[in-house]
Amino acid sequence: MNMYDKRIRLRELMAAPECVPMMGAYDVLSAKLIEQAGFPIVYTGSFITGASQYFLADVGLVQLKDLLPLAYEIAKEVDLPIVCDVDNGWFHSGNIWRTVHEFESAGVSGIQVEDGIIGKHVSTGAVDMSKDVMCDHIRAMCEARKDPNFVIIARTDALWLKNDLEETIDRCNAYLDAGADACFITFPGSIQGMKGWRHRIHGPVVTTCIRFEDSIAQETEAGACLSCYWPNTIYAAFTAVRNTLKQFAETRDMTKVDAKFDEDELLKLLPLQKYYDQMDKYHGEKMYLGG
């Protein structure tokens, strides 16, 4: 599937009757495992990329140059739509244009842009850009994209960080009116309450939770089109690696470590045969003999 078909596929999934999970990948291998497991969308975020690639907390430190390389590698290797977190687009109009240009050129299917400036994961409190400024950013992104099927998702954390439902609904509708293809709401807990006010938002809703308390069926019932499960793979990797190292450090005996390794399964996932076939077909012994 080429990058244009992936974008069309993402739009089809957004319009599907059931909420579709977007699974977070922190590297290419985790993205391939997401694909192998049958999930339909890969997601990359600033939290998991910053933590896994640079050991940075998600406090606005990662930039375009940090997030783009992983997006490119995943889009190149995985035959699924990929949605990428781009924080707030990095503020001014020039950076916003470049953000869209770079991620679209990398083969990404869509981006998620937020209205926060700083303060998501720190105790000082969140600082948001104004609704009007965010709407201007969305309009600029819509104008910057070359492929009209490139998806732009606009995020607000007003419900999570401020517990302000009315501001959440107002911002979502304003962002949709400005041209966003969907709005993105972060929930502090269960999203079941959205059933009572989902009709007030006039477009697709993407959700994520700080504490995952709902099933896909419940998210569908609440009215979400996509749900972002951003931490699953990195939390699983963190737990497994930590436990494996702890057990081996304590026992000095791999037979007493719970982790079971299957190198054959990993080798099957890697594209070894493709390279073997190419080498046999075009090089053989000549590449070593200079022939």
Side-chain angles (χ1 to χ4, degrees):
M1 191 184 302
N2 63 42
M3 65 180 179
Y4 303 105
D5 291 337
K6 289 178 185 179
R7 292 167 190 161
I8 293 171
R9 180 58 179 154
L10 176 59
R11 289 182 175 273
E12 291 172 348
L13 291 167
M14 289 173 60
E18 183 180 39
C19 179
V20 176
M22 300 192 297
M23 303 305 295
Y26 61 89
D27 62 6
V28 182
L29 181 58
S30 61
K32 292 297 292 184
L33 289 170
I34 289 168
E35 180 181 40
Q36 186 184 57
F39 289 101
I41 303 173
V42 176
Y43 174 87
T44 64
S46 58
F47 186 110
I48 56 178
T49 305
S52 63
Q53 305 296 315
Y54 305 104
F55 196 59
L56 293 174
D58 188 24
V59 291
L61 299 175
V62 294
Q63 302 294 313
L64 183 149
K65 69 178 179 63
D66 305 315
L67 297 174
L68 185 64
L70 178 59
Y72 168 78
E73 293 296 337
I74 292 176
K76 176 168 61 71
E77 298 297 339
V78 176
D79 198 26
L80 295 176
I82 174 174
V83 174
C84 296
D85 173 14
V86 298
D87 277 356
N88 52 32
W90 300 292
F91 301 110
H92 62 71
S93 57
N95 275 348
I96 288 168
W97 175 87
R98 187 182 175 211
T99 296
V100 174
H101 171 75
E102 296 289 358
F103 280 89
E104 187 175 7
S105 299
V108 167
S109 308
I111 54 176
Q112 167 216 304
V113 60
E114 66 187 55
D115 55 14
I117 296 175
I118 197 170
K120 278 191 300 185
H121 299 289
V122 294
S123 59
T124 55
V127 177
D128 298 331
M129 66 183 75
S130 72
K131 179 178 68 176
D132 290 342
V133 169
M134 178 65 172
C135 287
D136 280 344
H137 286 193
I138 294 166
R139 294 185 190 100
M141 287 184 162
C142 291
E143 290 181 9
R145 63 184 169 188
K146 295 180 180 179
D147 182 357
N149 285 316
F150 183 78
V151 172
I152 295 171
I153 301 170
R155 168 175 168 169
T156 179
D157 290 332
L159 191 62
W160 166 34
L161 296 176
K162 301 179 185 177
N163 195 30
D164 193 327
L165 176 59
E166 293 305 316
E167 181 179 351
T168 298
I169 294 171
D170 182 53
R171 281 185 178 257
C172 283
N173 285 326
Y175 300 164
L176 291 165
D177 290 344
D181 298 295
C183 59
F184 186 116
I185 304 173
T186 311
F187 287 80
S190 173
I191 74 166
Q192 288 301 292
M194 189 171 75
K195 289 186 289 186
W197 46 268
R198 171 65 181 86
H199 66 282
R200 296 176 59 191
I201 298 177
H202 310 140
V205 175
V206 180
T207 63
T208 195
C209 295
I210 303 307
R211 301 184 305 275
F212 292 91
E213 301 175 355
D214 305 295
S215 66
I216 293 295
Q218 290 171 316
E219 291 170 334
T220 299
E221 185 182 4
C225 66
L226 304 177
S227 182
C228 183
Y229 285 80
W230 56 271
N232 295 45
T233 59
I234 195 168
Y235 284 2
F238 172 78
T239 302
V241 171
R242 181 188 59 186
N243 291 347
T244 296
L245 294 173
K246 182 175 184 292
Q247 290 174 14
F248 185 58
E250 291 172 349
T251 65
R252 301 291 180 175
D253 184 346
M254 277 302 297
T255 65
K256 297 179 180 178
V257 174
D258 291 337
K260 304 301 180 185
F261 307 109
D262 192 333
E263 185 178 3
D264 289 341
E265 286 297 314
L266 177 57
L267 292 177
K268 287 178 185 176
L269 187 61
L270 295 172
L272 287 176
Q273 192 60 48
K274 176 175 68 176
Y275 295 111
Y276 289 158
D277 292 344
Q278 289 292 96
M279 291 170 68
D280 288 342
K281 183 176 181 179
Y282 295 110
H283 296 288
E285 292 299 319
K286 291 181 180 180
M287 67 179 294
Y288 301 106
L289 300 177

